[in-house]
């Protein structure tokens, strides 16, 4: 079958790759000069989140699927994408420590929680904290590198169109039996991130958006081996830089970086990275595609089943998209049901 994917961020990339692996032909269209959430993300895969130290939704299922898909893409593209990097988080007081220790004894938690982690050079390079805790099986996916390398490959193969999709024209590209429309594609799959709110077929879903800003910081000192969360995330990248982030705003007027948030992040960073000189070399912003109930949007249009969507990856695209893309493609190719929690039909449109 022939597929057209609209939006080649993380959702579009992984969905298209899975379809290609099943022997189908996939073309992609993405708007030039538009910021994608996938270009700005750190790609942290964090099994234990929040102040109450809760295991992320379906983490036991997500992790093996994510590892295997990103490893396959590493082979395909010849670049490293999946970094098994320990995540150390600070605990602020005795109550935090008690909560962490109690949770880490719960069934299903010891494989993700480490009460006595190896913190490496964190105490030397950063401010002192009450205590450290370690998140096991944390990882980082180089999402920007994945999207960019995949796009280069598509462009070389003539399967990438750099265009803003005009929703009225695009229906003319679809083959729809019994209608007058005749085009080259059997399915159109929409993966436009937060801009899906403008989509005429799926725009009525409860799309949210959350703006995030980050800094890129260069240091001459040895870089940490672990990711560290204390007031902000410090994420060591490959080239002696840290990704520092992120802000979170549900109200926004655009997706541009702001001086106020630069200062906010710079202040927090100055409080944390106390043991080493550094220079801020980048400042970026993007909008995360969020959903009210914090679950993905997966499904097909109720009247035009050739139109499908994968969206709503929120703050956790790196871990959610591998399984989300599997559910969508198995539904399209084999008719398998989409889990109710993520099926767009849960909104009773
Ligand atoms: C600051 C920040 C930090 C983050 N950190 C993490 C993290 O550590 N871990 C994690 O898992 N997630 C993180 N995320 C979230 C992650 O980025 C998202 O979950 C994920 O990348 C969303 O991917 P997507 O493909 O759905 O959307 P996007 O990456 O936004 O891609 C959508 C694409 O659709 C294109 N598009 C839209 N409309 C049209 C149109 N009409 N025509 C053509 N093309 C169109 C856009 O140009 C874009 O390229 C972070 C996000 C931000 C902003």
């Amino acid at each position: 079958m022939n597929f057209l994917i609209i939006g080649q961020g993380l959702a579009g990339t992984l969905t298209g790759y899975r379809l290609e692996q099943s022997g189908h032909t996939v073309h992609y269209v993405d708007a030039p000069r538009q910021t994608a959430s996938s270009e700005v993300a750190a790609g942290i895969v964090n099994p234990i989140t929040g102040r109450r130290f809760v295991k992320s939704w379906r983490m036991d299922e997500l992790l093996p699927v994510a590892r295997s898909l990103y490893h396959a893409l590493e082979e395909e593209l010849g670049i490293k994408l999946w970094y098994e990097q320990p995540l150390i988080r600070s605990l602020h007081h005795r109550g935090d420590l008690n909560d962490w220790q109690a949770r880490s004894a719960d069934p299903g938690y010891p494989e993700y929680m480490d009460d006595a982690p190896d913190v490496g050079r964190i105490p030397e390079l950063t401010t002192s904290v009450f205590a450290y805790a370690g998140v096991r099986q944390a990882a980082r996916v180089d999402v920007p590198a994945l999207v960019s390398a995949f796009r280069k490959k598509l462009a070389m193969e003539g399967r990438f169109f750099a265009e803003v999709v005009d929703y009225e024209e695009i229906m003319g590209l679809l083959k729809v039996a019994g209608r007058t429309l005749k085009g080259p594609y059997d399915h159109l799959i929409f993966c436009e991130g937060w801009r899906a709110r403008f989509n005429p077929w799926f725009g009525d879903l409860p799309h949210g958006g959350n703006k995030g800003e980050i800094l890129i910081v260069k240091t001459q000192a040895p870089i940490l081996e672990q990711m560290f969360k204390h007031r902000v995330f410090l994420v060591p990248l490959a080239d002696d830089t840290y990704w520092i982030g992120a802000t979170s705003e549900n109200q926004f007027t655009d997706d541009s970086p702001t001086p106020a948030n630069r200062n906010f992040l710079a202040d927090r960073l100055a409080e944390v990275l106390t043991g080493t000189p550094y220079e801020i070399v980048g400042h970026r912003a993007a909008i995360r595609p969020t959903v009210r109930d914090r679950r993905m949007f997966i499904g097909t249009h109720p009247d035009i089943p050739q139109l499908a969507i994968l969206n709503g990856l929120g703050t956790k695209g790196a871990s959610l998209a591998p399984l989300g893309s599997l559910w969508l493609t198995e539904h399209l190719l084999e008719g398998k049901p989409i889990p109710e929690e993520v099926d767009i039909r849960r909104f009773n449109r």
Side-chain angles (χ1 to χ4, degrees), residues 148-161:
S148 144
F150 198 78
R151 187 169 301 182
K152 253 185 218 149
K153 179 175 176 295
L154 295 176
M156 273 166 47
E157 294 168 0
R159 294 192 291 124
F160 181 79
F161 311 117

Side-chain angles (χ1 to χ4, degrees), residues 7 10-11 30-31 34 37-38 41 43-44 163 165 192 313-318:
L10 184 62
D30 199 297
Q34 250 183 205
S37 187
S38 304
I44 301 165
E163 280 171 40
V165 160
E192 310 109 306
L313 298 176
T315 57
K316 296 184 180 165

Side-chain angles (χ1 to χ4, degrees), residues 90-99 130-131:
S90 65
L91 300 177
H92 301 298
H93 44 69
R94 168 66 47 195
D96 258 4
L97 182 58
N98 291 346
D99 290 350
F130 177 77

Side-chain angles (χ1 to χ4, degrees), residues 190-203:
F190 293 99
C191 302
E192 310 109 306
W194 75 278
R195 293 181 183 89
R197 62 180 65 183
F198 307 119
N199 181 308
W201 304 284
F202 296 107

Side-chain angles (χ1 to χ4, degrees), residues 6-13 29-32 34-45 143 147 151 163-167 191-196 210-214 243 246-247 284-289 310-320:
I6 297 99
Q8 190 247 320
L10 184 62
T13 299
V29 55
D30 199 297
Q34 250 183 205
T35 310
S37 187
S38 304
E39 288 168 19
V40 177
I44 301 165
V45 174
V143 178
V147 168
R151 187 169 301 182
E163 280 171 40
V164 180
V165 160
D166 176 327
Y167 290 111
C191 302
E192 310 109 306
W194 75 278
R195 293 181 183 89
N210 177 280
K211 183 172 176 179
E213 299 193 29
I214 63 120
W243 180 103
T247 59
R284 302 206 59 190
I287 314 289
R288 303 170 181 95
L310 173 59
N311 207 307
L313 298 176
T315 57
K316 296 184 180 165
S319 43
L320 294 176

Side-chain angles (χ1 to χ4, degrees), residues 3-244:
F3 292 84
L4 179 65
I5 299 214
I6 297 99
Q8 190 247 320
L10 184 62
T13 299
L14 298 190
T15 304
Y17 179 66
R18 287 196 182 282
L19 293 167
E20 289 168 23
Q21 291 304 296
S22 303
H24 300 280
T25 305
V26 190
H27 288 81
Y28 302 73
V29 55
D30 199 297
R33 294 179 295 280
Q34 250 183 205
T35 310
S37 187
S38 304
E39 288 168 19
V40 177
I44 301 165
V45 174
N46 182 4
I48 301 291
T49 54
R51 291 200 187 121
R52 296 177 56 233
F53 312 129
V54 176
K55 199 197 299 189
S56 297
W57 177 77
R58 292 205 189 217
M59 195 35 85
D60 302 338
E61 256 174 288
L62 294 169
L63 266 177
V65 175
R67 265 192 212 108
S68 120
L69 183 61
Y70 292 122
H71 283 323
L73 277 154
E74 285 179 332
E75 292 261 308
E76 175 85 29
L77 299 169
I79 55 171
K80 188 159 171 61
L81 297 170
W82 176 264
Y83 295 82
E84 306 259 341
Q85 252 169 336
L87 169 59
I88 308 296
R89 50 184 293 172
S90 65
L91 300 177
H92 301 298
H93 44 69
R94 168 66 47 195
D96 258 4
L97 182 58
N98 291 346
D99 290 350
W100 177 276
Q101 287 172 340
R103 178 72 82 196
S104 70
D106 284 351
Y109 275 81
E111 56 263 48
Y112 296 113
M113 298 177 80
D114 187 353
D115 295 347
D118 174 5
V119 295
R121 304 188 68 163
I122 291 176
E124 179 193 333
L125 299 179
T126 66
T127 190
S128 62
V129 300
F130 177 77
Y132 297 104
V135 181
R136 294 195 165 112
Q137 301 197 58
R140 177 175 71 84
V141 180
D142 196 338
V143 178
L146 166 60
V147 168
S148 144
F150 198 78
R151 187 169 301 182
K152 253 185 218 149
K153 179 175 176 295
L154 295 176
M156 273 166 47
E157 294 168 0
R159 294 192 291 124
F160 181 79
F161 311 117
E163 280 171 40
V164 180
V165 160
D166 176 327
Y167 290 111
E168 284 188 12
E169 277 178 22
I170 200 166
M171 281 302 277
L173 297 173
L174 193 62
K175 293 187 215 167
V176 182
R179 293 177 191 240
T180 48
L181 302 170
K182 271 202 190 95
Y185 298 107
D186 298 285
H187 288 274
L188 307 181
I189 303 184
F190 293 99
C191 302
E192 310 109 306
W194 75 278
R195 293 181 183 89
R197 62 180 65 183
F198 307 119
N199 181 308
W201 304 284
F202 296 107
D204 62 336
L205 289 167
H207 294 282
N210 177 280
K211 183 172 176 179
E213 299 193 29
I214 63 120
L215 300 178
I216 302 293
V217 162
K218 194 157 186 70
T219 171
Q220 304 301 330
I223 197 125
L224 292 175
E225 282 166 19
Q226 302 86 348
M227 300 186 274
F228 182 43
K229 182 170 187 238
H230 174 65
R231 299 180 66 71
V232 281
F233 268 103
L234 265 74
V235 180
L237 304 179
D239 47 356
D240 286 344
T241 54
Y242 287 106
W243 180 103
I244 308 292

